[in-house]
Amino acid sequence: MDARLEELNTLLEDTFSSILRIEENNLRAAGEGNLSISEFHTIQSVGDGEEGRSVGEIAEDLGVTVPTVTVSINRLVKKGYVVKSKSEQDARITLIRLTDEGRHMNRLHRFFHEQMVFAIRNELGDDELECLLRCVRRLNTFFDERA
């Protein structure tokens, strides 16, 4: 592999790892150490549905299986971040909603991402930001086509 491709591979691995590590450290520093990053992402997905979301919707959003989400939701229920209830339109469907504490965690998680994006933005000029956006869009398309 040529040196540029090796560097690209290293940069992608390091960037992904750094984002997860920094996210986890920041959320733990905020005193919320009882949640994993995947649980924060599950909370975020639940929070995207104002009237609640089904386990299937959450699984599709996160790109994981329904059983994986079910396990995560059951843990989050025990921790007090989400509640389950039957849909008023279709009693066969169980909807997942955030509790007050779940909404608080969702705000913390979203705030972290806002701060990360603003910090990156502050380091780049307008042309650099446009270039970064184009490149990341292309990367996302590449990975989406292979998922």
Side-chain angles (χ1 to χ4, degrees):
M1 190 178 331
D2 111 3
R4 292 179 311 157
L5 295 180
E6 287 182 21
E7 181 181 12
L8 176 61
N9 182 60
T10 299
L11 288 170
L12 288 171
E13 288 176 349
D14 289 351
T15 300
F16 181 74
S17 178
S18 293
I19 289 170
L20 290 178
R21 187 177 57 256
I22 292 167
E23 183 175 24
E24 188 170 23
N25 289 341
N26 279 327
L27 294 170
R28 281 210 173 112
E32 315 302 340
N34 72 335
L35 291 170
S36 68
I37 294 303
S38 65
E39 288 172 327
F40 269 105
H41 291 156
T42 302
I43 286 171
Q44 180 179 348
S45 180
V46 172
D48 287 344
E50 288 190 24
E51 299 301 318
R53 298 188 87 191
S54 71
V55 172
E57 290 171 326
I58 297 165
E60 184 177 332
D61 183 39
L62 297 175
V64 297
T65 65
V66 168
T68 298
V69 171
T70 300
V71 168
S72 183
I73 292 299
N74 288 337
R75 270 191 257 129
L76 290 171
V77 167
K78 287 179 184 171
K79 293 179 180 184
Y81 296 110
V82 301
V83 292
K84 297 178 186 180
S85 62
K86 293 291 181 187
S87 167
E88 292 179 14
Q89 287 78 24
D90 186 343
R92 297 172 297 172
I93 298 173
T94 299
L95 295 177
I96 313 301
R97 292 183 177 87
L98 296 178
T99 62
D100 288 342
E101 188 64 19
R103 283 188 286 281
H104 173 69
M105 290 299 118
N106 196 28
R107 284 190 299 275
L108 270 178
H109 185 237
R110 289 182 186 279
F111 180 72
F112 165 78
H113 282 276
E114 288 173 11
Q115 295 303 106
M116 178 179 61
V117 169
F118 289 135
I120 292 168
R121 171 59 182 119
N122 288 337
E123 294 293 318
L124 303 175
D126 289 341
D127 290 345
E128 291 172 311
L129 180 59
E130 283 303 317
C131 180
L132 178 61
L133 287 169
R134 273 194 316 276
C135 292
V136 173
R137 282 185 203 116
R138 287 174 68 185
L139 274 174
N140 279 345
T141 299
F142 172 82
F143 289 124
D144 285 347
E145 288 171 352
R146 285 151 181 81

